[in-house]
Amino acid sequence: MNMRQDISGELNNTRCPEIIKILSLGKRSGRLYLTNGSETGNIYFTEGDVVHAQCGSLNGTKAINEIAVWASGEYRFFVDEPSDVQTISMSIDDILAETTNHLRQMDKITSLIPSSGAIYALETEIKDKDIQLKSFQWKVLATVDGKRSIADIAQIVGFGVSDTMKVFYTLIRMGLLHEASAQETHEERHRIELPETGYIISVKDALTQAIGPIAPFIIAETARELGIDLLSDSIDQKAFLIETLSNKIPDERMSLKFLDAMTDWLKSEV
Amino acid sequence: MQIKLPSKHRFAGAKDRLLLLYRGLVENHQRPGNTVEILLDDMLLTVFLAGSTMLMVISGLQANQALLRMTGKLIISHMNKENS
């Protein structure tokens, strides 16, 4: 086994705080790389102490809190990849206590907001006469348009998904936002235009058979999440998109049928 | 073409480890359809699980892993269908 990459696994089995605890107890030094499929993060260890963390535009414990929420994805530890900077100087116990507190807050938030993929629209009638907003709350509110998801808005405002969800929680409780109805997002979904290449037409036809007319929207959304260019000739990218789409088909039999059709198509291209 | 190795062949040493892997992944958890990837230096061992069947594929890292996983998933599902 390669000692440079000897700890790896899936986040649905072991969440970030547990991995931090294990690496800390083992007095490990190196870089812990984590991904939830669409975002990536790194946590750096020096002899079991966490010295730096980064996730998107976030650094320090904010980055750890962001990563700690991920319930799916992968992680891998790279031995002897030290950090050049130090953004954290807390003990492991303090870091884990802060993370636990953050996860508790997120549990409360997810009881109201189903996921970061949720879409909200502005409430047209406000009950309270006087509403006071802080500047960061206004920054988020100004980007809500009934089309963008919370994750999209998090990218625009640069707060991180967890913090943006916290702001949404407050704005919803203030009666300023409501979840966008299917009717509101319906038009947006039908406006999706996919490239008319042989590959995309095959994917669209096979996926429509499996999940119905929402297929073009799911293809466009998945490609965006994965950062895949639908016009790319790369077989790797095509296969990755197909595999991810197959995992989104709830019916196992239909998922295998989709895989079967698309694997044949891919093999004819290789 | 089928090659059978004698039980005392030097590869036979892997038997205990393979049994441990089988018991750990198949017998203890029963996770049909799951795919497990284990990094072996510059190779990848991909394990497909369905019922009591475990299919293992060793590939170079440069292989198209998504295509490999999709093909493996289809094979194990067909095997499982025939076994049941």
Side-chain angles (χ1 to χ4, degrees):
Chain A
M1 187 66 71
N2 187 344
M3 286 306 288
R4 293 187 70 80
Q5 296 180 338
D6 54 355
I7 298 172
S8 63
E10 292 181 7
L11 289 171
N12 51 359
N13 294 326
T14 318
R15 301 274 287 268
C16 173
E18 291 168 61
I19 308 165
I20 291 178
K21 214 181 286 178
I22 293 165
L23 294 170
S24 165
L25 286 171
K27 301 272 177 210
R28 307 298 294 258
S29 297
R31 174 173 67 98
L32 175 65
Y33 165 84
L34 306 102
T35 176
N36 66 354
S38 55
E39 294 167 281
T40 61
N42 290 291
I43 302 174
Y44 293 84
F45 291 78
T46 302
E47 292 179 357
D49 288 330
V50 174
V51 292
H52 174 52
Q54 167 274 326
C55 176
S57 58
L58 303 174
N59 286 306
T61 50
K62 271 192 176 297
I64 295 183
N65 287 342
E66 186 77 13
I67 297 167
V69 181
W70 297 349
S72 66
E74 294 171 351
Y75 65 88
R76 184 162 291 161
F77 185 68
F78 295 87
V79 177
D80 293 335
E81 286 196 20
S83 169
D84 297 331
V85 291
Q86 178 159 6
T87 54
I88 299 171
S89 51
M90 289 162 75
S91 71
I92 290 292
D93 286 345
D94 288 346
I95 292 170
L96 292 175
E98 189 179 317
T99 308
T100 306
N101 188 32
H102 176 75
L103 287 174
R104 213 169 283 145
Q105 282 180 19
M106 288 308 292
D107 277 348
K108 198 171 88 177
I109 289 165
T110 49
S111 67
L112 184 68
I113 302 171
S115 76
S116 60
I119 299 170
Y120 285 84
L122 292 171
E123 197 64 72
T124 46
E125 290 194 24
I126 309 291
K127 286 173 197 157
D128 292 336
K129 279 184 182 171
D130 295 319
I131 292 169
Q132 285 196 339
L133 289 179
K134 292 178 178 147
S135 61
F136 65 91
Q137 291 169 331
W138 176 252
K139 197 174 176 185
V140 169
L141 191 67
T143 57
V144 174
D145 62 356
K147 293 170 193 165
R148 295 187 185 111
S149 68
I150 296 177
D152 293 336
I153 290 172
Q155 271 202 329
I156 295 170
V157 296
F159 287 169
V161 175
S162 300
D163 282 345
T164 310
M165 282 178 85
K166 277 185 198 172
V167 179
F168 264 83
Y169 180 83
T170 313
L171 295 174
I172 295 164
R173 296 298 293 260
M174 289 167 95
L176 300 178
L177 298 176
H178 69 271
E179 199 165 357
S181 65
Q183 184 67 36
E184 281 170 297
T185 53
H186 182 76
E187 281 182 23
E188 190 60 20
R189 284 179 184 176
H190 280 262
R191 226 177 288 146
I192 298 289
E193 280 184 20
L194 297 172
E196 292 283 312
T197 61
Y199 160 65
I200 295 298
I201 291 169
S202 302
V203 175
K204 195 169 70 179
D205 289 349
L207 194 63
T208 304
Q209 278 190 19
I211 60 170
I214 199 174
F217 175 76
I218 299 291
I219 295 169
E221 193 66 11
T222 309
R224 194 186 57 79
E225 280 168 16
L226 301 175
I228 286 177
D229 176 6
L230 290 174
L231 290 169
S232 164
D233 283 332
S234 159
I235 288 292
D236 282 355
Q237 289 207 2
K238 287 177 178 172
F240 189 35
L241 177 67
I242 290 168
E243 189 194 19
T244 311
L245 287 172
S246 76
N247 291 332
K248 291 189 174 182
I249 302 172
D251 184 310
E252 180 72 14
R253 193 178 57 83
M254 295 307 286
S255 172
L256 286 170
K257 199 175 162 193
F258 172 76
L259 265 189
D260 205 2
M262 292 318 301
T263 309
D264 282 349
W265 190 93
L266 275 177
K267 282 176 183 163
S268 69
E269 288 286 299
V270 175
Chain B
M1 185 176 69
Q2 190 181 16
I3 302 171
K4 289 189 177 178
L5 295 176
S7 61
K8 286 190 178 169
H9 189 276
R10 60 196 168 96
F11 290 166
K15 184 180 156 188
D16 291 345
R17 304 238 160 193
L18 288 176
L19 276 175
L20 273 176
L21 193 63
Y22 181 83
R23 291 195 175 122
L25 294 177
V26 177
E27 293 181 357
N28 293 348
H29 295 290
Q30 291 289 319
R31 296 182 295 191
N34 260 16
T35 308
V36 180
E37 287 180 327
I38 302 169
L39 191 66
L40 307 168
D41 289 338
D42 55 348
M43 287 182 292
L44 197 67
L45 170 65
T46 311
V47 184
F48 301 94
L49 308 162
S52 61
T53 308
M54 185 168 97
L55 172 71
M56 297 199 297
V57 181
I58 295 180
S59 62
L61 291 178
Q62 71 280 10
N64 186 327
Q65 296 299 333
L67 189 55
L68 187 149
R69 284 193 296 270
M70 288 193 284
T71 311
K73 225 179 266 182
L74 286 170
I75 293 171
I76 195 88
S77 104
H78 284 306
M79 285 169 73
N80 203 38
K81 213 181 290 170
E82 281 169 18
N83 288 344
S84 59

